[in-house]
Short mmCIF file of all heavy atoms in Angstrom, two decimals:
data_model
loop_
_atom_site.label_atom_id
_atom_site.label_comp_id
_atom_site.label_asym_id
_atom_site.label_seq_id
_atom_site.Cartn_x
_atom_site.Cartn_y
_atom_site.Cartn_z
N VAL A 155 -3.78 28.43 4.57
CA VAL A 155 -2.73 28.10 3.61
C VAL A 155 -2.62 26.58 3.57
O VAL A 155 -2.60 25.92 4.61
CB VAL A 155 -1.38 28.72 4.02
CG1 VAL A 155 -0.26 28.18 3.15
CG2 VAL A 155 -1.45 30.24 3.93
N ILE A 156 -2.57 26.04 2.36
CA ILE A 156 -2.45 24.59 2.17
C ILE A 156 -1.21 24.32 1.33
O ILE A 156 -0.94 25.03 0.36
CB ILE A 156 -3.69 24.01 1.47
CG1 ILE A 156 -4.94 24.21 2.34
CG2 ILE A 156 -3.50 22.53 1.15
CD1 ILE A 156 -6.23 23.75 1.68
N ALA A 157 -0.44 23.30 1.71
CA ALA A 157 0.74 22.91 0.95
C ALA A 157 0.74 21.40 0.74
O ALA A 157 0.46 20.63 1.68
CB ALA A 157 2.02 23.33 1.66
N VAL A 158 1.04 20.98 -0.49
CA VAL A 158 1.08 19.55 -0.84
C VAL A 158 2.34 19.29 -1.66
O VAL A 158 2.88 20.20 -2.29
CB VAL A 158 -0.17 19.13 -1.66
CG1 VAL A 158 -1.44 19.32 -0.85
CG2 VAL A 158 -0.26 19.93 -2.96
N PRO A 159 2.82 18.05 -1.68
CA PRO A 159 3.99 17.74 -2.52
C PRO A 159 3.64 17.85 -4.00
O PRO A 159 2.61 17.36 -4.44
CB PRO A 159 4.31 16.29 -2.14
CG PRO A 159 3.60 16.03 -0.85
CD PRO A 159 2.39 16.90 -0.88
N GLY A 160 4.50 18.50 -4.76
CA GLY A 160 4.32 18.59 -6.19
C GLY A 160 4.95 17.41 -6.91
O GLY A 160 5.60 16.57 -6.29
N PRO A 161 4.79 17.33 -8.23
CA PRO A 161 5.34 16.22 -9.01
C PRO A 161 6.85 16.09 -8.89
O PRO A 161 7.39 14.99 -8.99
CB PRO A 161 4.93 16.57 -10.44
CG PRO A 161 3.79 17.51 -10.32
CD PRO A 161 4.01 18.27 -9.06
N ASP A 162 7.53 17.22 -8.69
CA ASP A 162 8.99 17.21 -8.61
C ASP A 162 9.50 17.12 -7.18
O ASP A 162 10.69 17.21 -6.93
CB ASP A 162 9.56 18.46 -9.28
CG ASP A 162 9.05 19.74 -8.64
OD1 ASP A 162 8.22 19.65 -7.70
OD2 ASP A 162 9.47 20.83 -9.07
N GLY A 163 8.58 16.93 -6.23
CA GLY A 163 8.97 16.82 -4.84
C GLY A 163 8.90 18.12 -4.07
O GLY A 163 8.85 18.12 -2.85
N GLU A 164 8.91 19.26 -4.81
CA GLU A 164 8.76 20.55 -4.15
C GLU A 164 7.30 20.77 -3.77
O GLU A 164 6.39 20.31 -4.46
CB GLU A 164 9.21 21.67 -5.09
CG GLU A 164 10.70 21.65 -5.41
CD GLU A 164 11.55 21.97 -4.19
OE1 GLU A 164 11.12 22.83 -3.39
OE2 GLU A 164 12.63 21.38 -4.06
N GLN A 165 7.09 21.49 -2.68
CA GLN A 165 5.71 21.73 -2.25
C GLN A 165 5.01 22.73 -3.16
O GLN A 165 5.59 23.71 -3.62
CB GLN A 165 5.68 22.26 -0.82
CG GLN A 165 5.74 21.17 0.25
CD GLN A 165 5.38 21.72 1.62
OE1 GLN A 165 5.69 22.85 1.96
NE2 GLN A 165 4.73 20.91 2.42
N ILE A 166 3.73 22.46 -3.42
CA ILE A 166 2.83 23.40 -4.05
C ILE A 166 1.98 23.98 -2.93
O ILE A 166 1.35 23.25 -2.17
CB ILE A 166 1.92 22.70 -5.07
CG1 ILE A 166 2.73 22.06 -6.19
CG2 ILE A 166 0.90 23.68 -5.64
CD1 ILE A 166 1.90 21.15 -7.08
N ALA A 167 1.98 25.29 -2.79
CA ALA A 167 1.23 25.93 -1.72
C ALA A 167 0.27 26.96 -2.29
O ALA A 167 0.54 27.59 -3.31
CB ALA A 167 2.18 26.59 -0.72
N PHE A 168 -0.86 27.14 -1.61
CA PHE A 168 -1.86 28.10 -2.08
C PHE A 168 -2.73 28.55 -0.92
O PHE A 168 -2.84 27.87 0.11
CB PHE A 168 -2.73 27.49 -3.19
CG PHE A 168 -3.30 26.13 -2.88
CD1 PHE A 168 -4.51 25.98 -2.23
CD2 PHE A 168 -2.59 24.99 -3.24
CE1 PHE A 168 -5.02 24.72 -1.94
CE2 PHE A 168 -3.10 23.72 -2.96
CZ PHE A 168 -4.31 23.58 -2.31
N PHE A 169 -3.32 29.72 -1.07
CA PHE A 169 -4.31 30.23 -0.14
C PHE A 169 -5.68 29.74 -0.57
O PHE A 169 -6.03 29.80 -1.74
CB PHE A 169 -4.28 31.76 -0.14
CG PHE A 169 -5.53 32.39 0.42
CD1 PHE A 169 -5.79 32.34 1.78
CD2 PHE A 169 -6.43 33.03 -0.40
CE1 PHE A 169 -6.94 32.92 2.31
CE2 PHE A 169 -7.58 33.62 0.11
CZ PHE A 169 -7.83 33.56 1.47
N GLY A 170 -6.46 29.26 0.40
CA GLY A 170 -7.81 28.80 0.08
C GLY A 170 -7.85 27.32 -0.25
O GLY A 170 -6.97 26.58 0.18
N PRO A 171 -8.82 26.90 -1.05
CA PRO A 171 -9.86 27.72 -1.67
C PRO A 171 -10.90 28.19 -0.67
O PRO A 171 -11.17 27.53 0.32
CB PRO A 171 -10.48 26.77 -2.70
CG PRO A 171 -10.30 25.41 -2.10
CD PRO A 171 -8.99 25.47 -1.39
N VAL A 172 -11.45 29.37 -0.95
CA VAL A 172 -12.55 29.91 -0.14
C VAL A 172 -13.83 29.28 -0.66
O VAL A 172 -14.19 29.46 -1.83
CB VAL A 172 -12.59 31.44 -0.26
CG1 VAL A 172 -13.82 32.00 0.45
CG2 VAL A 172 -11.31 32.04 0.32
N VAL A 173 -14.52 28.54 0.19
CA VAL A 173 -15.71 27.82 -0.25
C VAL A 173 -16.71 27.71 0.90
O VAL A 173 -16.34 27.47 2.03
CB VAL A 173 -15.34 26.41 -0.78
CG1 VAL A 173 -14.63 25.60 0.28
CG2 VAL A 173 -16.55 25.67 -1.31
N THR A 174 -17.98 27.95 0.59
CA THR A 174 -19.04 27.78 1.58
C THR A 174 -20.36 27.51 0.86
O THR A 174 -20.66 28.20 -0.12
CB THR A 174 -19.17 29.01 2.49
OG1 THR A 174 -20.23 28.78 3.43
CG2 THR A 174 -19.47 30.29 1.73
N PRO A 175 -21.08 26.50 1.28
CA PRO A 175 -20.74 25.54 2.33
C PRO A 175 -19.66 24.57 1.88
O PRO A 175 -19.37 24.48 0.68
CB PRO A 175 -22.06 24.82 2.57
CG PRO A 175 -22.76 24.87 1.24
CD PRO A 175 -22.40 26.21 0.66
N ALA A 176 -19.09 23.86 2.81
CA ALA A 176 -18.04 22.90 2.48
C ALA A 176 -18.63 21.72 1.71
O ALA A 176 -19.54 21.07 2.20
CB ALA A 176 -17.36 22.40 3.76
N PRO A 177 -18.15 21.46 0.49
CA PRO A 177 -18.68 20.33 -0.28
C PRO A 177 -18.31 19.00 0.35
O PRO A 177 -17.32 18.90 1.09
CB PRO A 177 -18.03 20.50 -1.65
CG PRO A 177 -16.81 21.30 -1.40
CD PRO A 177 -17.11 22.19 -0.24
N LYS A 178 -19.08 17.99 0.03
CA LYS A 178 -18.86 16.66 0.59
C LYS A 178 -18.75 15.63 -0.51
O LYS A 178 -19.10 15.87 -1.66
CB LYS A 178 -20.02 16.29 1.54
CG LYS A 178 -20.16 17.22 2.74
CD LYS A 178 -21.29 16.78 3.65
CE LYS A 178 -21.40 17.69 4.87
NZ LYS A 178 -22.49 17.27 5.77
N GLY A 179 -18.25 14.46 -0.14
CA GLY A 179 -18.20 13.33 -1.05
C GLY A 179 -17.43 13.61 -2.31
O GLY A 179 -16.37 14.22 -2.30
N GLU A 180 -18.00 13.18 -3.44
CA GLU A 180 -17.32 13.35 -4.71
C GLU A 180 -17.21 14.80 -5.13
O GLU A 180 -16.30 15.18 -5.86
CB GLU A 180 -18.03 12.52 -5.79
CG GLU A 180 -17.72 11.04 -5.70
CD GLU A 180 -16.22 10.76 -5.72
OE1 GLU A 180 -15.51 11.31 -6.60
OE2 GLU A 180 -15.74 10.02 -4.85
N GLU A 181 -18.13 15.64 -4.67
CA GLU A 181 -18.02 17.06 -4.97
C GLU A 181 -16.78 17.63 -4.29
O GLU A 181 -16.05 18.44 -4.88
CB GLU A 181 -19.27 17.81 -4.49
CG GLU A 181 -19.27 19.28 -4.89
CD GLU A 181 -20.52 20.01 -4.43
OE1 GLU A 181 -21.23 19.49 -3.55
OE2 GLU A 181 -20.76 21.12 -4.95
N ALA A 182 -16.52 17.19 -3.06
CA ALA A 182 -15.30 17.61 -2.36
C ALA A 182 -14.07 17.13 -3.11
O ALA A 182 -13.08 17.86 -3.24
CB ALA A 182 -15.31 17.07 -0.94
N ALA A 183 -14.12 15.91 -3.61
CA ALA A 183 -12.99 15.34 -4.34
C ALA A 183 -12.73 16.09 -5.64
O ALA A 183 -11.57 16.35 -6.01
CB ALA A 183 -13.24 13.87 -4.63
#
Side-chain angles (χ1 to χ4, degrees):
V155 171
I156 298 176
V158 297
D162 58 358
E164 294 292 323
Q165 276 193 325
I166 299 170
F168 49 89
F169 161 71
V172 174
V173 58
T174 180
K178 298 181 179 181
E180 283 305 311
E181 186 179 17

